[in-house]
Amino acid sequence: MQGSQASGAGHRLQAVVLDVDGTLVDSERDGHRIAFNRAFEEADLEDRWGVELYGKLLDVTGGERRINAYFEQQGMPEDEREELAASLHARKTEIFTEMASRGEIEPRPGVGELLEELERAGVRLAVATTGSRQWVGPLLDRLFGLERFEVVVTSAEAPERKPDPSAHELALKRLDLAACAAPAVEDSLNGLRAAKSAGLACVVVVNDYTREQDFDGADLILDGFGRPHAPAAVLDDPHGLDPPGRLDLGTLRRLAARSGSAG
Ligand code: XBP
Ligand code: MG
């Protein structure tokens, strides 16, 4: 059964490959950014990442790479900044893991309802993130229950960060599915590029850091997951998927059906 799915008959929605940062959770501004700043403070550094600056730094995915790129901009020599980035990121990861375990990071509105609807329909859940395994597990577990995600790919398994397609490719491989059976949900241009390079259709659900990005090639763009009393605006719907004010099972099924016949 699974082999035949991988080899082609993928016009039925079978799984969804979800991003974490910015998608399942609004974790960047009030989560990772705060943790980076605490790590700087504990190391007696004067650097602090404000809300606006952090938005620019998000162009570089992966926390350690982000710190490294920032100190490179400050003119720090390579060997010095690599060592500093590694130690700061290790501490930042501990701080963020504690924040996640204490419940300080919340799901984006409507995510819980979407996951329940997908599960009820037998759609398998997978995660493809550039974040670190140390915090991804505790965060998913606290918010949703880790066992609900059949596949979780983090930077531990896919060290080439997005927009590299390796996290999505590995998620598909572990699901044993063709790309057309498993669309992705992302919040950022780096995430969209990663999903598309791996051959997945991709819904982009923007947030405050990403809404001005140019999501050329996205299969659907929404400004939120949407809830019955708070519908999400449709920012672009190039295939006429016609979501009912929220990202729902029917919309993802229409996307997979389209991807199967187009691919
Ligand atoms: C998310 C990231 C992550 C987080 C920080 O990208 O780039 O690096 O900002 O996590 P995406 P770490 O949502 O596209 O996966 O510090 O653990 O790297
Ligand atoms: Mg993201």
Side-chain angles (χ1 to χ4, degrees):
M1 175 74 176
Q2 286 199 329
S4 68
Q5 289 163 1
S7 62
H11 51 281
R12 194 163 66 79
L13 178 71
Q14 301 195 45
V16 178
V17 181
L18 300 146
D19 172 47
V20 178
D21 285 310
T23 302
L24 294 180
V25 288
D26 226 341
S27 49
E28 296 290 6
R29 192 190 71 178
D30 300 325
H32 292 297
R33 187 182 68 88
I34 304 296
F36 284 115
N37 283 337
R38 282 199 198 137
F40 296 152
E41 193 179 348
E42 286 184 17
D44 284 331
L45 295 169
E46 285 179 5
D47 305 81
R48 297 291 181 274
W49 289 352
V51 171
E52 203 177 323
L53 171 64
Y54 191 66
K56 298 192 177 86
L57 295 172
L58 281 173
D59 284 348
V60 177
T61 50
E64 186 172 339
R65 291 172 75 234
R66 188 169 301 140
I67 299 171
N68 203 324
Y70 167 79
F71 283 121
E72 185 177 9
Q73 282 166 18
Q74 311 293 307
M76 190 182 283
E78 188 175 350
D79 45 351
E80 195 182 324
R81 68 172 194 262
E82 280 187 355
E83 201 182 315
L84 186 59
S87 69
L88 286 170
H89 188 251
R91 181 62 190 134
K92 175 264 165 185
T93 299
E94 288 174 355
I95 295 167
F96 187 77
T97 306
E98 285 160 18
M99 292 170 77
S101 305
R102 282 197 300 264
E104 291 175 21
I105 312 296
E106 292 183 0
R108 287 187 70 179
V111 163
E113 291 90 331
L114 173 64
L115 298 188
E116 276 167 31
E117 189 183 14
L118 292 172
E119 279 182 311
R120 273 199 307 273
V123 177
R124 301 153 70 197
L125 302 179
V127 156
T129 172
T130 264
S132 309
R133 178 161 282 279
Q134 291 98 306
W135 62 258
V136 171
L139 179 78
L140 294 178
D141 201 32
R142 161 128 198 164
L143 295 183
F144 309 110
L146 190 56
E147 69 289 348
R148 295 169 69 191
F149 300 92
E150 190 177 324
V151 167
V152 177
V153 177
T154 69
S155 63
E157 296 79 28
E160 293 300 324
R161 311 298 207 270
K162 299 174 192 175
D164 187 272
S166 53
H168 288 92
E169 286 169 353
L170 186 55
L172 278 184
K173 190 169 170 220
R174 291 192 174 172
L175 287 164
D176 192 25
L177 288 175
C180 54
V185 184
E186 288 281 343
D187 69 301
S188 71
L189 181 57
N190 281 318
L192 170 68
R193 285 188 176 148
K196 284 295 192 177
S197 304
L200 282 71
C202 185
V203 176
V204 176
V205 184
V206 304
N207 57 46
D208 286 344
Y209 270 137
T210 65
R211 71 177 67 248
E212 301 304 329
Q213 294 179 348
D214 179 4
F215 293 112
D216 196 27
D219 294 284
L220 176 67
I221 310 177
L222 301 172
D223 83 341
F225 284 86
R227 298 175 117 170
H229 57 282
V234 179
L235 303 179
D236 196 17
D237 182 11
H239 312 307
L241 299 173
D242 199 18
R246 64 188 195 93
L247 183 57
D248 71 336
L249 174 68
T251 303
L252 287 163
R253 277 186 170 153
R254 289 191 288 283
L255 177 56
R258 193 202 160 270
S259 310
S261 57

